[in-house]
Amino acid sequence: MSELKRNRASTGSAESKIEAMIRESDLQEDLANTEVQPASDVTIYNAYSMGPAFGKKFPLPYIVYILNEIMQQKLVNKVYTAEEAAKWTREIADTVNLKFKGRGVFPRFKHVVNVMLYQQTGAGCFYGARAIWDPLSDDFGSYTFDGGSFVCIATVFGCYQY
């Protein structure tokens, strides 16, 4: 009788081993066929910028303030002469350019400084500028200084670099 029990036990254990292997292979097949889902607790951010962040547009009030400050320093109590006018425009443009270049206030913006100075003789002057740009991110600031014998117009164009 003990021999019979041993045979049954050995066949039972062999059958259970086979069943376990079948269950394991079915489990592996099910895992191979299931689609892996992304983690739900991970937030993915874009690594690129599609435009300036909200509230980070080209800062016009700051631009106009800087233009006003520089033109007051350079042009107050001056009288127009042709030789001096060329020097003044270059100085104003360079000072404005350096002032904006050193600031990290508006990263990813490229700027263009344009300064025009003309004598007031009653003839008048027309000033225009055109550009193709994105009105949601690009902008310009301008300041006009009247020195009595001359008028100086300084404009800074800011274009967002995508």
Side-chain angles (χ1 to χ4, degrees):
M1 189 81 167
S2 63
E3 213 175 288
L4 185 62
K5 284 183 183 179
R6 272 190 238 146
N7 283 343
R8 282 185 187 166
S10 65
T11 52
S13 67
E15 287 174 3
S16 66
K17 286 181 183 177
I18 291 172
E19 287 175 9
M21 286 195 303
I22 290 172
R23 275 189 253 125
E24 186 177 319
S25 67
D26 287 344
L27 180 64
Q28 287 177 352
E29 190 176 304
D30 288 343
L31 287 175
N33 291 334
T34 59
E35 187 176 330
V36 177
Q37 298 295 322
S40 62
D41 61 341
V42 176
T43 305
I44 299 172
Y45 297 102
N46 292 334
Y48 53 88
S49 295
M50 294 299 292
F54 183 73
K56 298 293 182 183
K57 196 174 171 183
F58 202 59
L60 290 184
Y62 177 72
I63 301 297
V64 173
Y65 171 76
I66 293 298
L67 290 174
N68 178 14
E69 181 181 283
I70 290 170
M71 291 173 78
Q72 292 292 332
Q73 289 174 358
K74 301 281 184 188
L75 300 176
V76 168
N77 298 327
K78 302 265 175 134
V79 177
Y80 181 85
T81 59
E83 298 81 30
E84 292 292 314
K87 187 177 85 170
W88 297 339
T89 55
R90 203 171 22 261
E91 284 178 3
I92 292 169
D94 288 344
T95 306
V96 170
N97 190 32
L98 290 174
K99 191 92 159 178
F100 292 144
K101 188 176 180 182
R103 305 279 180 179
V105 177
F106 31 89
R108 299 194 67 174
F109 275 98
K110 297 291 183 185
H111 66 272
V112 177
V113 180
N114 186 16
V115 178
M116 183 177 75
L117 195 142
Y118 64 93
Q119 185 178 12
Q120 262 189 331
T121 58
C125 177
F126 294 99
Y127 175 79
R130 293 187 180 183
I132 297 174
W133 62 18
D134 182 4
L136 297 175
S137 59
D138 304 336
D139 217 338
F140 71 96
S142 183
Y143 183 77
T144 303
F145 179 84
D146 188 354
S149 63
F150 63 92
V151 174
C152 183
I153 302 170
T155 308
V156 178
F157 300 92
C159 297
Y160 187 76
Q161 182 182 7
Y162 289 97

